[in-house]
Amino acid sequence: MARKVVANITLSLDGRTTGPAGPYDMGWIVPHSITDMARDHLVAITDATTAVLGRSNYEGFGGFWPTVVDDESADERDRQFAEWLNKTEKVVFSHTLEELPWENSRAADREPAEMIRQLREEEGRDIYVLASQSIIRHLLDAGEVDRLSINLAPEVVGGGARLFEDGLQASSWTLTDLATSDSGSVWLIYDRVR
């Protein structure tokens, strides 16, 4: 069975992945990331055997999730996701990181589409690209995303980076699942029509 590549990301209603103040302007995401639905979704990811991250998310996730495992006050689902993140293979795309201190991390040694094609040939289950918009965009353009997992937050951010920029290759998708959260966000699962 071929490994499925899943792009997992939160978007605002105006299609943003960050706010107008730059890559770390993501406070609008927080209320939609701590809902029961969002946490249940994190647990569902833990069946995958590879996580793909860009430098920013590797550093951001690595600065937060490793310690959640031992935090007895954390939601059990957060602890389960953190344990998975610590143990799973992490493939990191970066031109600047010289060290990858988080256990089970390795640097990608080729461009995203080529690396994903290599990962598809290796043993394992699904491959999740975790919130790394530039990698997701590159993989979408190369036709290497099988599933889009989008947490659509009911926020108009008004500026910042977009996932879907002009120039992406056209593609068709089918809605295979959706769920709504108490915060008003909607989790949309789309599978690529091939």
Side-chain angles (χ1 to χ4, degrees):
M1 183 174 175
R3 301 180 76 186
K4 186 179 295 183
V5 176
V6 182
N8 186 77
I9 199 158
T10 297
L11 297 178
S12 66
L13 288 177
D14 55 342
R16 309 294 179 167
T17 58
T18 66
Y24 299 103
D25 184 1
M26 299 188 308
W28 57 273
I29 291 175
V30 174
H32 311 291
S33 300
I34 57 173
T35 64
D36 283 335
M37 179 194 70
R39 286 182 162 126
D40 290 344
H41 180 75
L42 289 181
V43 170
I45 289 174
T46 64
D47 190 47
T49 53
T50 303
V52 174
L53 299 150
R55 178 195 53 80
S56 295
N57 283 320
Y58 179 79
E59 290 177 327
F61 283 32
F64 176 76
W65 286 108
T67 60
V68 173
V69 171
D70 298 318
D71 182 353
E72 293 183 10
S73 66
D75 186 285
E76 183 57 37
R77 294 164 294 185
D78 291 346
R79 292 176 70 185
Q80 186 176 347
F81 180 70
E83 182 178 11
W84 172 79
L85 261 180
N86 285 342
K87 290 181 179 178
T88 201
E89 173 189 43
K90 289 169 284 298
V91 177
V92 183
F93 288 90
S94 173
H95 296 293
T96 58
L97 288 177
E98 294 180 11
E99 293 182 13
L100 301 173
W102 199 357
E103 63 185 301
N104 301 313
S105 298
R106 68 173 163 137
D109 58 0
R110 55 199 70 198
E111 291 302 309
E114 188 180 343
M115 188 74 206
I116 288 296
R117 286 190 284 272
Q118 176 187 319
L119 289 170
R120 285 184 191 273
E121 298 298 318
E122 296 174 5
E123 289 293 317
R125 294 185 303 273
D126 289 350
I127 301 161
Y128 264 79
V129 185
L130 297 177
S132 297
Q133 81 167 34
S134 62
I135 297 167
I136 293 171
R137 194 178 308 127
H138 184 95
L139 295 176
L140 282 167
D141 204 39
E144 291 294 336
V145 175
D146 303 304
R147 173 171 282 174
L148 284 168
S149 176
I150 299 171
N151 185 14
L152 184 63
E155 309 285 343
V156 174
V157 181
R162 291 183 186 271
L163 177 62
F164 301 109
E165 296 282 356
D166 289 348
L168 277 177
Q169 290 201 11
S171 57
S172 294
W173 301 80
T174 186
L175 182 67
T176 56
D177 198 9
L178 67 90
T180 57
S181 77
D182 292 342
S183 73
S185 67
V186 180
W187 213 290
L188 303 162
I189 307 295
Y190 288 100
D191 286 341
R192 186 167 186 145
V193 176
R194 299 226 185 244

